[in-house]
């Protein structure tokens, strides 16, 4: 394994640039992936996000095994940038009082507890909205908060499996395959962020907030996209196509003599350009078996063998140069290591390092969203467990040291609370 080149420190944003979500206060009860992905996007663009964690271990992702630095896991660091972290043991009445105080001054609440948990604590929408009618309250769950499936637990791969989404991934002669990254979780987080922003815009018109809801199962079903729509139209159950959707022979992975690449020549124009300008096989445009997309799909194995044999006769870089000259959609088939060290990542400043209280610095993957007038805030590493408890209680609720000490004595901040 090659050593990772040093990451650059991030270039700071313009000091006088405003943020898109300035003065927006978000109380964040989320953990694991979908919820934290949502609130991180809000934090990246200027919202003050107060992440509330159980003092006994905090967010489950803190203990995930992929990698760690400064005592924090890669998963936790990747999903909790730019947040303030406090600890509250919500089983303690005084902790619930603090949570209600924070919610009363908030613009947004986001939660992804199991069904019934927020009601048990008296922190559900119906309980808190009367004292804060402008509140936008977002609930994220596996199967929704109402109906016969509301109590079912569920995670990303379960909803991939149950929605039909997983059945579309993999090769025709193999089993369904879940995506590597938790794509339904991430898409649910993005969708929840959209729903919150929609509700905030609506609040400006109608004068009050609302309860918004996003469910992993619903997102997974929506992500079947045109395959799902095709089933509804023709009743034919779509299958798996590996790297070539609909079996198109001019879309997918091919091997040069020294390495793989991916091409996507999905229409007639691109196909003709590929076989005439790159492969020097104009006969493949007039051959009846391959003249149209429909015919190419019907004779895909024959055409794929012809194309594969041609590509195997020369080196990868020579083919890449020819295809780029012909404006063919093509890409290297990279590992994560290769992708993160590629010029597209480095020259687009996708990666940096940012300060961390214990590690000194931690890696940072930049937000993929760009805004010219209200760019993302300068990133701050995910908080240590309970790192900002004292600051939040003092600044947002006006607590003094004596009141914080009295609160800590009740166990509301955790059994061994001494942070701040």
């Amino acid at each position: 394994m090659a050593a990772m080149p040093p990451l650059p420190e991030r270039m700071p944003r313009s000091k006088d640039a405003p943020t898109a979500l300035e003065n927006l206060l978000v109380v964040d009860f989320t953990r694991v992936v979908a919820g934290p992905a949502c609130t991180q996007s809000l934090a990246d663009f200027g919202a003050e996000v107060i992440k509330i964690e159980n003092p006994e271990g905090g967010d489950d992702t803190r203990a995930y095994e992929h990698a760690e630095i400064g005592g924090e896991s890669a998963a936790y660091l990747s999903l909790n940038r730019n947040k303030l972290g406090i600890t509250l043991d919500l089983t303690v009445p005084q902790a619930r009082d603090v949570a209600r105080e924070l919610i009363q001054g908030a613009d947004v609440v986001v939660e992804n507890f199991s069904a019934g948990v927020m009601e048990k604590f008296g922190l559900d929408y119906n309980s808190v909205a009367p004292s804060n009618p402008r509140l936008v309250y977002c609930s994220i769950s596996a199967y929704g908060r109402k109906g016969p499936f509301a109590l079912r637990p569920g995670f990303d791969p379960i909803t991939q499996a149950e929605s039909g989404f997983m059945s579309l991934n993999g090769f025709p002669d193999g089993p369904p395959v879940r995506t590597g990254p938790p794509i339904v979780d991430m898409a649910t987080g993005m969708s929840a962020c959209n729903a919150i922003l929609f509700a905030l815009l609506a609040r400006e018109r109608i004068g009050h907030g609302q309860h918004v809801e996003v469910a992993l199962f619903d997102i997974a079903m929506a992500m079947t996209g045109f395959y799902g729509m095709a089933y509804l139209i023709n009743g034919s159950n779509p299958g798996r196509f590996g790297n070539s959707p609909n079996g198109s022979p001019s879309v997918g992975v091919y091997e040069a003599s020294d390495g793989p690449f991916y091409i996507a020549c999905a229409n007639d124009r691109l196909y003709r350009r590929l076989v005439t300008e790159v492969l020097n096989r104009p006969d493949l445009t007039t051959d009846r078996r391959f003249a149209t997309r429909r015919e190419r799909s019907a004779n895909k194995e024959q055409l794929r063998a012809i194309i594969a044999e041609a590509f195997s006769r020369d080196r990868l870089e020579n083919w890449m140069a020819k295809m780029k000259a012909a404006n063919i959609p093509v890409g290297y088939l990279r590992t994560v290591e290769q992708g993160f060290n590629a010029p597209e990542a480095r020259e687009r400043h996708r990666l940096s390092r940012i300060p961390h209280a214990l590690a000194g610095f931690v890696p940072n993957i930049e937000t993929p969203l760009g805004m010219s007038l209200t760019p993302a805030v300068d990133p701050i590493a995910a908080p240590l467990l309970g790192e900002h408890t004292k600051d939040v209680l003092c600044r947002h609720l006006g607590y003094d040291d004596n009141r914080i000490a009295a609160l800590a004595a009740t166990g509301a901040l955790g059994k061994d609370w001494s942070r701040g």
Side-chain angles (χ1 to χ4, degrees):
M1 182 175 67
M4 181 75 182
L7 294 172
E9 291 188 37
R10 189 179 187 273
M11 292 293 292
R13 75 199 296 272
S14 172
K15 288 190 190 314
D16 57 355
T19 61
L21 301 178
E22 194 166 353
N23 299 322
L24 191 80
L25 180 60
V26 179
V27 179
D28 177 6
F29 291 94
T30 71
R31 69 261 187 263
V32 193
V33 180
C38 166
T39 53
Q40 179 169 269
S41 290
L42 298 172
D44 281 344
F45 287 90
E48 184 163 22
V49 175
I50 300 172
K51 181 179 177 72
I52 296 176
E53 295 182 80
N54 185 324
E56 303 305 316
D59 192 319
D60 293 349
T61 58
R62 288 181 180 274
Y64 278 19
E65 71 283 354
H66 305 93
E68 72 165 38
I69 185 171
E72 304 288 9
S73 75
Y76 174 74
L77 290 170
S78 73
L79 292 162
N80 292 285
R81 179 177 58 228
N82 291 324
K83 301 176 186 180
L84 300 174
I86 75 169
T87 52
L88 288 176
D89 183 348
L90 295 176
T91 65
V92 176
Q94 291 85 347
R96 298 196 292 274
D97 291 340
V98 172
R100 276 189 283 271
E101 283 189 75
L102 289 171
I103 291 170
Q104 191 161 2
D107 296 285
V108 176
V109 166
V110 189
E111 61 90 11
N112 64 345
F113 280 113
S114 299
V117 171
M118 293 300 270
E119 287 88 344
K120 179 180 72 173
F121 292 146
L123 299 173
D124 57 299
Y125 179 71
N126 289 332
S127 297
V128 300
S131 63
N132 184 358
R134 288 177 59 81
L135 181 69
V136 171
Y137 190 111
C138 178
S139 295
I140 300 171
S141 63
Y143 299 97
R145 289 288 185 234
K146 297 176 183 175
F149 307 109
L151 296 178
R152 279 195 65 189
F155 293 93
D156 174 298
I158 303 301
T159 57
Q160 285 195 37
E162 291 200 329
S163 64
F165 178 87
M166 193 182 294
S167 76
L168 301 172
N169 301 320
F171 288 89
D173 57 351
V177 178
R178 64 163 286 181
T179 62
I183 190 66
V184 173
D185 269 336
M186 300 303 290
T188 300
M190 289 187 282
S191 298
C193 186
N194 282 342
I196 289 165
L197 296 177
F198 296 157
L200 289 170
L201 283 171
R203 186 176 75 173
E204 297 307 304
R205 294 200 316 275
I206 64 179
H208 56 81
Q210 59 184 293
H211 189 193
V212 301
E213 186 179 333
V214 185
L216 272 71
F217 181 85
D218 301 352
I219 296 298
M221 179 167 282
M223 287 176 64
T224 64
F226 46 77
Y227 294 106
M229 183 61 74
Y231 163 72
L232 293 174
I233 291 171
N234 62 24
S236 178
N237 194 32
R240 291 179 293 284
F241 306 103
N243 290 314
S244 300
N246 290 332
S248 172
S250 52
V251 176
V253 176
Y254 282 93
E255 293 274 348
S257 62
D258 59 345
F261 57 91
Y262 193 101
I263 59 171
C265 298
N267 59 42
D268 289 338
R269 175 176 49 84
L270 290 170
Y271 169 73
R272 286 194 297 270
R273 202 183 296 164
L274 172 69
V275 297
T276 57
E277 297 181 35
V278 177
L279 300 181
N280 196 27
R281 289 289 306 272
D283 59 297
L284 296 178
T285 64
T286 55
D287 188 315
R288 268 198 209 170
R289 296 171 298 169
F290 314 132
T292 68
R293 175 172 171 151
R294 188 181 298 272
E295 289 161 339
R296 290 193 293 275
S297 292
N299 297 285
K300 58 182 178 289
E301 297 306 328
Q302 295 165 280
L303 181 55
R304 179 169 288 278
I306 293 169
I307 294 174
E309 194 279 329
F311 278 134
S312 71
R313 286 193 256 114
D314 203 351
R315 297 180 62 251
L316 174 62
E317 290 304 329
N318 291 337
W319 287 123
M320 293 297 285
K322 288 179 182 179
M323 285 188 278
K324 288 178 179 178
N327 207 22
I328 295 293
V330 62
Y332 296 97
L333 188 62
R334 293 169 172 151
T335 63
V336 170
E337 179 182 1
Q338 291 167 336
F340 274 51
N341 287 286
E344 291 87 346
R346 296 293 173 154
E347 291 175 20
R348 289 180 50 74
H349 309 294
R350 293 294 83 208
L351 305 171
S352 62
R353 64 174 194 160
I354 56 178
H356 184 269
L358 295 182
F361 286 91
V362 294
N364 180 56
I365 302 172
E366 293 291 323
T367 173
L369 308 177
M371 300 180 72
S372 62
L373 297 180
T374 56
V377 301
D378 291 329
I380 297 172
L384 305 178
L385 184 59
E387 180 178 355
H388 304 103
T389 301
K390 182 176 180 180
D391 172 61
V392 167
L393 294 177
C394 292
R395 190 159 49 86
H396 283 281
L397 303 182
Y399 286 19
D400 59 19
D401 288 347
N402 290 334
R403 189 168 181 185
I404 293 172
L407 180 66
T410 69
L413 307 181
K415 295 176 183 175
D416 302 312
W417 190 82
S418 60
R419 295 173 291 273

